[in-house]
Amino acid sequence: MSNGLTANSNSQSDFDALKQRIHQRLIGKLDLNRIGELEGDVLKREIRMVVEHLCDNENTLLNRSERDRLVDEVLDETFGLGPLELLLKDPSISDILINGPKNIYVERRGKMERTAVEFRDNEHLHQIIDRIVSKVGRRVDETCPMVDARLEDGSRVNAIIPPLALDGAAMSIRRFGSNPLTLEDLLEFKTFTPEMVMLMEGAMKARLNIVISGGTGSGKTTLLNTLSSFIGNQDRIVTIEDAAELQLQQDHVVRLETRPPNIEGKGQVTATDLVKNCLRMRPERIIIGECRGPETLDMLQAMNTGHDGSLTTTHANSPRDCIGRLETMILMAGFDLPMKAMRSQISSAIHLIIQANRLQGGPRKITHITEVVGMENDVIVMQDIFRYVQDGIDENGKAVGRFLCTGVRPRCLDQLNAAGIRLPASIFQERIMMAD
Ligand SMILES: Nc1ncnc2c1ncn2[C@@H]1O[C@H](COP(=O)(O)OP(=O)(O)OP(=O)(O)O)[C@@H](O)[C@H]1O
Ligand SMILES: [Mg+2]
């Protein structure tokens, strides 16, 4: 059947219509039972041949590269994630944010931009979401309109559909592993200064307990990952995450992941369950990807009972707010602990708070490295050692500012010294360390 498509009249919509037609025919031809028996590569080769044959039958005047693109896109549509495949192939993309079928943004190296990629319509977007979530045994529909899932490469996915999402389904993908940022990258991006790295490295090596605090997408997990590189190879590490994202380089690591309830509401394993279990596994360091709830108290208790050198992140906007957040999470979990007892648990468990922030225009900065000093009456006392102060916005709309050293001598230097780590006193002298 000819459709009159020529190289000259070959508009995008003709191309898309042709693609859809070939896709439909392909689906009609596939023997689904046999597909399961074939190896991935053999299967793709065979299907490619079928698609090329279908293309020939269409009697279209596509040139070689158009035809290759068509075959690739039909394959992506059939086995992959349709229009998303193009974005997933690009390693410089760290986040994909889909707001309905026609409005897709990506983030590259901290900068958000809109892409030309589109889904055909709402139904098409739903299909792809279904394909993603069903692979991890979940589903998305009216009774279950919000889901977390993962792609095969480990990327984290959240999808939310109407009626909760008002303008069509929304999906957020945090890429994983494609190009993890290194310490050198973060130094180059001026996320922190070399002096700050020296303190963070010393604190990790001297087994201080550290909380990384920050808003959504501020770089908490990235920092946790980079700091973990300072852990020696001899420590037994247990990690606990909701969706495994950490990429630890050490040998002696046990990775645990929580599990949401299944469709019947059964089988849930919470972070609290895992923290409790992990304490029976003789961990030397515990890393909790993110503290969000009742596991907070278990974590603090673990930190207070000899599991020094533990690390976690939490969602807060300043070090003071981070303490408040830990308190709230403990209270909401229903633990009937007097305020003072709770605060002294927190202040004796946590040594350092590292605050991450995503500033206007995209740059991520460590805006505070703050030490938890102790208690004065009922109040937790903290002191900033390093700070970032934003001065304004440059001509590109990007925040600019300075990293300051407050001149306070960190109390934790005693612990660092005891561990044989000696930092030059000069790095803590009051001054501007670096400006953007
Ligand atoms: N210092 C940095 N400079 C530039 N980009 C960064 C930096 N840190 C992280 N990113 C990028 O920002 C995005 C968010 O990073 P990350 O996952 O570490 O944030 P998060 O605070 O853990 O987010 P969430 O709250 O969603 O868990 C990632 O795409 C990451 O590559
Ligand atoms: Mg994170």
Side-chain angles (χ1 to χ4, degrees), residues 156 174 220-222 245 289-290 313:
R156 203 175 77 187
R174 165 72 40 80
K220 300 182 293 295
T221 305
T222 304
E245 288 183 279
E290 183 169 343
T313 75

Side-chain angles (χ1 to χ4, degrees), residues 26-154:
L26 175 68
I27 301 277
K29 271 183 173 272
L30 290 181
D31 176 351
L32 291 173
N33 290 327
R34 240 198 104 214
I35 282 186
E37 294 165 11
L38 290 177
E39 291 283 322
D41 282 350
V42 180
L43 177 69
K44 287 222 171 105
R45 227 177 14 249
E46 290 212 358
I47 302 280
R48 180 173 286 275
M49 272 157 49
V50 175
V51 174
E52 293 199 345
H53 183 67
L54 288 172
C55 263
D56 292 341
N57 285 356
E58 284 280 339
N59 191 21
T60 58
L61 292 179
L62 295 178
N63 64 30
R64 188 70 229 170
S65 71
E66 284 170 326
R67 205 176 120 119
D68 284 347
R69 182 160 77 103
L70 186 107
V71 173
D72 282 345
E73 290 188 11
V74 170
L75 286 175
D76 284 347
E77 205 56 61
T78 315
F79 298 104
L81 302 178
L84 290 182
E85 289 290 336
L86 200 65
L87 303 176
L88 292 169
K89 278 182 196 128
D90 180 347
S92 69
I93 293 179
S94 57
D95 287 79
I96 304 172
L97 303 163
I98 299 160
N99 318 325
K102 305 280 180 200
N103 194 356
I104 302 179
Y105 289 81
V106 295
E107 181 165 327
R108 283 193 175 88
R109 304 240 131 196
K111 269 209 128 21
M112 194 82 85
E113 59 197 77
R114 190 169 175 171
T115 71
V117 169
E118 291 185 346
F119 290 87
R120 271 195 308 282
D121 47 28
N122 266 315
E123 200 193 334
H124 187 205
L125 173 56
H126 268 239
Q127 253 172 26
I128 298 295
I129 293 179
D130 264 339
R131 194 172 286 174
I132 293 173
V133 303
S134 64
K135 277 220 173 106
V136 292
R138 314 211 64 198
R139 64 163 188 208
V140 60
D141 55 26
E142 258 148 57
T143 55
C144 188
M146 305 185 268
V147 281
D148 287 319
R150 268 202 284 161
L151 303 184
E152 268 161 17
D153 68 0

Side-chain angles (χ1 to χ4, degrees), residues 368-383:
H368 301 75
I369 298 187
T370 300
E371 188 176 32
V372 180
V373 181
M375 293 271 288
E376 224 161 70
N377 301 319
D378 282 0
V379 180
I380 294 178
V381 182
M382 299 192 282
Q383 57 184 19

Side-chain angles (χ1 to χ4, degrees), residues 221-377:
T221 305
T222 304
L223 185 65
L224 186 60
N225 237 336
T226 28
L227 291 187
S228 73
S229 67
F230 296 127
I231 300 177
N233 227 337
Q234 64 290 344
D235 282 356
R236 175 169 166 81
I237 310 169
V238 180
T239 67
I240 296 174
E241 295 177 87
D242 282 328
E245 288 183 279
L246 294 174
Q247 295 166 292
L248 267 52
Q249 305 306 316
Q250 291 78 0
D251 300 326
H252 202 155
V253 181
V254 182
R255 303 192 308 143
L256 305 178
E257 197 180 72
T258 60
R259 188 171 67 188
N262 67 9
I263 289 170
E264 288 97 49
K266 299 209 180 83
Q268 181 175 25
V269 179
T270 64
T272 308
D273 299 332
L274 292 182
V275 176
K276 290 202 161 93
N277 193 81
C278 133
L279 292 175
R280 294 184 219 118
M281 298 170 70
R282 287 206 36 218
E284 283 163 312
R285 297 189 188 243
I286 303 171
I287 300 184
I288 303 180
E290 183 169 343
C291 261
R292 304 173 202 267
E295 70 276 12
T296 308
L297 186 62
D298 299 272
M299 178 199 68
L300 293 175
Q301 282 168 346
M303 286 175 165
N304 274 329
T305 52
H307 299 93
D308 275 343
S310 295
L311 271 173
T312 188
T313 75
T314 199
H315 208 286
N317 296 325
S318 69
R320 180 57 68 188
D321 187 29
C322 168
I323 298 283
R325 179 95 181 111
L326 296 174
E327 291 176 1
T328 314
M329 289 189 291
I330 295 172
L331 290 176
M332 295 222 315
F335 296 109
D336 195 12
L337 216 58
M339 200 52 134
K340 189 164 180 179
M342 182 169 69
R343 290 196 173 148
S344 72
Q345 277 264 7
I346 295 176
S347 75
S348 59
I350 292 167
H351 303 113
L352 274 190
I353 298 176
I354 304 178
Q355 179 69 41
N357 263 308
R358 180 181 190 276
L359 305 183
Q360 202 171 332
R364 270 82 171 181
K365 300 283 182 190
I366 299 306
T367 56
H368 301 75
I369 298 187
T370 300
E371 188 176 32
V372 180
V373 181
M375 293 271 288
E376 224 161 70
N377 301 319

Side-chain angles (χ1 to χ4, degrees), residues 9 236 432:
S9 67
R236 175 169 166 81
I432 297 173

